[in-house]
Amino acid sequence: MAAVVLSDAEKLYIIHGVQEDLRVDGRGCEDYRCAEVETDVVSNTSGSARVKLGHTDVLVGVKAEMGAPKLEKPDEGYLEFFVDCSASATPEFEGRGGEELGTEIASTLYRVFSSEGTLDLKSLCINPREHCWVLYVDVLRFFFFFFPPHFLECGGNLFDTISIAVKAALFNTSGTTHNSVFRIPKVRVMEDEEGSKEIELSDDPYDCIRLNVDDVPCIVTLSKIGYRHVVDATLQEEACSLASLLIAITSKGALTCMKKIGKGSLDPESIFEMMETGNKVGKSLHASLQKVLDEEESLGTTRQKVGFLG
Amino acid sequence: MAAVAMRLPAVRKAVGPSAPRGGEKHLVVPGDTITTDTGYMRGHGTYVVEDRLVASVAGAVERVNKLVCVTPLKTSSHRTAQSCPVPVVVELAAYINIIFLLQVQQKRWKVETNSRLDSVLLLSSMNLPGGELRRRSAEDELAMRDYLQEGDLISVSFHCLYSDRRAEVQSIFSDGAVSLHTRSLKYGKLGQGVLVQVSPSLVKRQKTHFHDLPCGASVILGNNGFIWIYPTPEQKDEEAGGFTTNLEPVPLSDREVISRLRNCIVALVTQKLMLFDTSILYCYEASLPHQIKDILKPEVMEEIVLETRQKLLDLEG
C-alpha cells in the first residue's frame, strides 16, 4: 500500500481527534465515507461492479465457467479469487510488487467465503464429481487516475471496498436481475446408451440458476487508534493505527471470518468491543448497499451509465 | 450511531470556470506549434523541431521577453531559473524526508516539496534552536535528527536564482534540485494540524500565504500545493525558532473549525476554484448550515462552491 509518512504532531492530532469522536474529515468513529456503487460496468462478464470509497477505487468482475468440482467437495461449485494490484494504482506495484498484497487479499476473500451458508454452492454443481460452475472473481484495484495517489482524501480501507464490490458484482448479472439473484445459465447433462455424456444448454435465456446473495458477507475493518477504534480508516489514519481487526459480517449479523492485521496487539476486551461495533456497522453497510442495488435495479435500462470517466 | 451512505455515481459536471480575466489564454496541447519565429528562446515545456517551437505539455503559453514557456495545467510545482526569472520569495510548506547518508556526510536534509525532484535543506540554511547565529559545528550535525525527523513538516521559503546576495542558499543544483532555507523565524517546523495536498496550480499567488482566519484557525497556503491548517497559536512564540511543537490536545471547538476548513478546501479544489484566504472564508461561511462530514457529499459540495463563487463575483462587482 502506498506509504504515508506523518510527523509525530500530525499523528497526535489524529489520535486526539479520534478520542473526541471527530476525525480529520469531520466523521465520527463509526462513519463510512460516501461510497459510490455501480454495477454492470464490464459487458463481457457475468456480473461486475465498481465501488469507490473515498479515492479507493475497485473494479470486480465475476465470470462463470464450467470446471471440475474439487475432490473434497464433489457436489459443489466453487469460487476462485484473483486480485490484481496493477502498477497504475501506485508505482510500488510495478513488476511483482503488488503480488504479495494481491495474494493476501485473495486469501482473505477465500476465508471469508469458506464459511458455509455464505453462498449456496450446491446449486453450482452440474453433475457431481464431473462438472460444476466455477465463479472467477477478479478484483482490479485503481486509484482515481486523474490524481497522483497522494492527492486529497486518498486510499485506505481496501478490504472493505473490495468486499462491497464483490457482493455488488455477485448481485449483478449480465441481463436484468430479479430478487437479488445471480444468474448462470442452466445446463443439463444428457447421457446416451453408451454412457457418453453431452451437455445441453437451455434455449430459454431466463432459465437459469439463481444464486442467493443475501448471505454474502461484507468485510468491516476496525482500526485501533489510541483508546478507540474507527471504521473506514483513511491512509493517514491507518498510519496511526498499530493493529486492525478485520471481520466479515453477513446482513443478518453472523460473523464468518475474523483476522487481525498490523503489527500491534489487541486486548481481548477491545476485540469484543470492536466485534460489537463491526456487527452494528456491518448491518447498516449491508442495508445501504442493498438499498443502492435495489435502486439501481429498479432504474433498469433507464439508468445512465457512468463508468470511469463520469 | 453508524452512518453508511452509499449512492449511485452521478455524471458530474464541474462548475464552469468563472469569466476569464485578462483576455483569453493561449492554450496548447503537447505537439502544438507555439511559434515558427526563431527569435524566441526555448523555455520549460517546449522543444524545437525543425525551427518550430513545439509544446511538450498541455497548458498556457507564457512569454517573458524572448523566453517562451508553457505552464502546465496539472503540475507538480517546479521552479527553476527559467520559469521564474525575477527574484521572488516563494513560500513552500515542505515534507521533510531525511536520507541518512546525505545527512551525515553532507549536512543536509532531503525534502519532498511536491516537485519533480526532491529538494535539499542545508543545515547551514536552518535556524538553530533559539535563533543562534553561528557556524554549524559537528555537534549540530549529530543533532540534526533532534531538529527534524522523517515525516516532519516545515514551512520554508526560497529565493529564486539571480539573487546573488545570499549565494550559499539560493542555489539550484545542476540537476534542478532546489536548495531551501528557513532563515527567517517566521518559518520552521509545523506542529499539530492537517495537511491537504492539492494541485499547485490551484493556489493563488499572493503577498502572504500565512493567514489567521477569523473563524478561529490558521492556514498556510503553500505555493507547492501543500496546505496546512492549524489552530491559531495564542502567542507568537518566536524565541524557540520553530523547533518546539505544542503537543497539548487541541480543543474540540478548534478541531471542528479545522475539519470544516479542510472539507471546504477539498470542496473548492474538487470544483477547481482558486484557493486564497477570501475564497476559503466564503466557502466556510457557506458551509455553516451543513454538518462537517456532509460537506464532502457531491451535491452539498456543489451547492457550497456555487454560493462561494457567487459571493466572490459580487465582491469583484
Side-chain angles (χ1 to χ4, degrees):
Chain A
M1 279 179 218
V4 251
V5 193
L6 293 180
S7 72
D8 291 345
E10 269 180 289
K11 279 187 184 165
L12 201 69
Y13 182 85
I14 293 176
I15 293 168
H16 285 168
V18 167
Q19 268 161 27
E20 303 215 31
D21 201 20
L22 181 77
R23 289 152 78 178
V24 169
D25 46 9
R27 284 182 293 156
C29 286
E30 295 174 13
D31 292 340
Y32 263 79
R33 281 171 288 185
C34 196
E36 279 180 3
V37 182
E38 189 182 15
T39 60
D40 210 6
V41 278
V42 187
S43 55
N44 55 0
T45 55
S46 310
S48 60
R50 180 222 184 181
V51 173
K52 204 173 140 221
L53 191 69
H55 279 208
T56 312
D57 213 337
V58 163
L59 176 72
V60 171
V62 179
K63 188 113 176 136
E65 269 177 42
M66 222 179 272
K70 290 191 171 163
L71 284 175
E72 64 272 22
K73 283 173 182 161
D75 56 347
E76 285 182 12
Y78 60 96
L79 280 90
E80 284 280 357
F81 292 98
F82 179 74
V83 182
D84 180 28
C85 292
S86 70
S88 62
T90 118
E92 286 156 41
F93 291 158
E94 214 176 319
R96 304 180 68 129
E99 231 164 70
E100 202 179 314
L101 179 66
T103 329
E104 192 198 331
I105 296 171
S107 67
T108 310
L109 286 173
Y110 277 119
R111 275 186 58 188
V112 166
F113 281 86
S114 68
S115 160
E116 279 191 22
T118 51
L119 267 180
D120 181 20
L121 295 172
K122 288 218 165 68
S123 62
L124 292 176
C125 182
I126 298 165
N127 62 338
R129 274 184 286 277
E130 277 169 37
H131 297 287
C132 71
W133 286 107
V134 185
L135 300 184
Y136 290 96
V137 182
D138 292 317
V139 181
L140 193 59
R141 181 196 177 199
F142 294 97
F143 266 107
F144 202 51
F145 48 81
F146 295 114
F147 295 103
H150 57 267
F151 265 130
L152 299 176
E153 25 149 12
C154 64
N157 208 11
L158 193 54
F159 285 96
D160 297 19
T161 320
I162 289 178
S163 75
I164 295 171
V166 168
K167 185 170 180 181
L170 285 173
F171 180 86
N172 172 243
T173 75
S174 44
T176 43
T177 47
H178 304 286
N179 312 327
S180 65
V181 286
F182 177 80
R183 303 192 324 169
I184 303 151
K186 205 171 249 178
V187 290
R188 260 170 311 189
V189 182
M190 315 292 283
E191 199 169 345
D192 57 20
E193 301 88 54
E194 287 145 33
S196 63
K197 286 169 182 167
E198 208 167 86
I199 291 171
E200 197 185 71
L201 188 68
S202 162
D203 291 332
D204 179 12
Y206 291 98
D207 188 17
C208 56
I209 303 171
R210 300 192 159 181
L211 201 56
N212 193 335
V213 298
D214 282 345
D215 286 330
V216 171
C218 275
I219 298 175
V220 178
T221 311
L222 298 121
S223 311
K224 186 94 182 164
I225 296 177
Y227 299 114
R228 299 186 65 152
H229 46 262
V230 298
V231 299
D232 191 18
T234 58
L235 268 187
Q236 283 78 3
E237 284 165 341
E238 273 173 15
C240 296
S241 149
L242 282 176
S244 316
L245 192 71
L246 186 151
I247 54 179
I249 295 278
T250 67
S251 55
K252 296 189 186 79
L255 197 149
T256 67
C257 164
M258 184 160 82
K259 186 182 176 184
K260 199 214 76 172
I261 39 181
K263 49 181 184 270
S265 56
L266 288 171
D267 190 72
E269 208 167 290
S270 63
I271 292 183
F272 284 122
E273 273 172 34
M274 285 157 109
M275 276 162 66
E276 253 167 52
T277 320
N279 203 321
K280 198 167 65 186
V281 177
K283 277 185 196 163
S284 47
L285 188 69
H286 278 287
S288 46
L289 176 63
Q290 198 58 50
K291 215 176 102 202
V292 169
L293 291 174
D294 288 342
E295 185 193 331
E296 186 173 41
E297 195 185 276
S298 68
L299 287 173
T301 47
T302 59
R303 181 173 68 93
Q304 200 181 2
K305 282 199 184 176
V306 178
F308 288 89
L309 295 168
Chain B
M1 200 204 67
V4 186
M6 280 200 208
R7 61 176 67 231
L8 294 173
V11 184
R12 248 169 262 137
K13 298 180 288 274
V15 181
S18 43
R21 269 163 252 128
E24 291 286 316
K25 285 217 162 130
H26 182 183
L27 294 171
V28 285
V29 291
D32 272 0
T33 305
I34 300 168
T35 175
T36 45
D37 194 340
T38 46
Y40 284 106
M41 267 165 70
R42 190 180 70 85
H44 269 266
T46 59
Y47 61 99
V48 181
V49 185
E50 298 160 357
D51 291 345
R52 287 181 298 125
L53 200 58
V54 179
S56 65
V57 291
V61 177
E62 275 176 32
R63 289 190 169 84
V64 182
N65 298 328
K66 293 239 129 189
L67 181 74
V68 177
C69 39
V70 181
T71 320
L73 296 173
K74 272 259 160 68
T75 173
S76 51
S77 85
H78 190 70
R79 329 247 124 247
T80 60
Q82 271 183 323
S83 72
C84 205
V86 224
V88 281
V89 182
V90 186
E91 286 156 0
L92 295 153
Y95 235 66
I96 281 283
N97 186 6
I98 307 179
I99 289 187
F100 189 70
L101 267 180
L102 282 180
Q103 170 198 336
V104 175
Q105 292 181 342
Q106 304 186 357
K107 309 172 192 174
R108 60 195 194 177
W109 288 279
K110 207 166 185 182
V111 293
E112 147 79 34
T113 49
N114 201 17
S115 70
R116 261 181 283 172
L117 290 158
D118 285 343
S119 308
V120 158
L121 178 67
L122 293 168
L123 178 60
S124 54
S125 33
M126 273 298 284
N127 286 311
L128 288 173
E132 270 181 274
L133 296 168
R134 58 175 166 82
R135 257 183 82 107
R136 309 301 188 264
S137 62
E139 282 78 37
D140 289 325
E141 272 177 55
L142 290 172
M144 271 174 76
R145 209 180 233 119
D146 296 340
Y147 301 160
L148 292 172
Q149 268 186 6
E150 287 91 341
D152 275 350
L153 286 161
I154 49 162
S155 79
V156 298
S157 76
F158 84 93
H159 294 251
C160 225
L161 210 67
Y162 294 156
S163 78
D164 46 3
R165 286 168 294 134
R166 315 176 87 175
E168 99 274 12
V169 280
Q170 291 85 37
S171 51
I172 291 176
F173 296 102
S174 53
D175 59 354
V178 180
S179 169
L180 310 163
H181 82 144
T182 65
R183 271 298 169 78
S184 155
L185 287 172
K186 203 165 112 187
Y187 310 113
K189 194 163 158 182
L190 304 173
Q192 294 194 64
V194 180
L195 181 80
V196 190
Q197 286 162 294
V198 305
S199 169
S201 15
L202 285 170
V203 179
K204 195 170 178 177
R205 296 285 135 88
Q206 278 186 305
K207 218 190 230 164
T208 172
H209 287 250
F210 291 76
H211 299 289
D212 291 342
L213 299 176
C215 54
S218 303
V219 286
I220 302 175
L221 301 167
N223 274 342
N224 57 348
F226 286 8
I227 290 165
W228 181 248
I229 316 165
Y230 60 108
T232 310
E234 273 163 30
Q235 80 265 19
K236 302 253 157 82
D237 189 12
E238 299 206 333
E239 288 296 297
F243 276 107
T244 50
T245 43
N246 182 8
L247 297 180
E248 289 290 306
V250 179
L252 188 62
S253 53
D254 282 357
R255 255 171 219 287
E256 278 168 357
V257 175
I258 290 173
S259 294
R260 189 175 283 276
L261 275 174
R262 176 204 175 270
N263 286 0
C264 285
I265 289 172
V266 171
L268 287 173
V269 168
T270 315
Q271 302 281 353
K272 310 276 184 295
L273 228 68
M274 288 299 269
L275 290 179
F276 54 104
D277 50 346
T278 327
S279 72
I280 294 173
L281 209 59
Y282 281 170
C283 187
Y284 180 87
E285 282 163 12
S287 79
L288 284 174
H290 301 278
Q291 268 198 324
I292 302 173
K293 61 182 176 195
D294 290 341
I295 300 173
L296 293 179
K297 289 187 177 159
E299 66 276 1
V300 179
M301 198 138 77
E302 201 164 303
E303 182 196 321
I304 293 172
V305 172
L306 273 175
E307 201 177 321
T308 313
R309 239 183 80 190
Q310 195 53 47
K311 273 192 185 172
L312 284 172
L313 287 175
D314 290 348
L315 183 76
E316 281 173 15

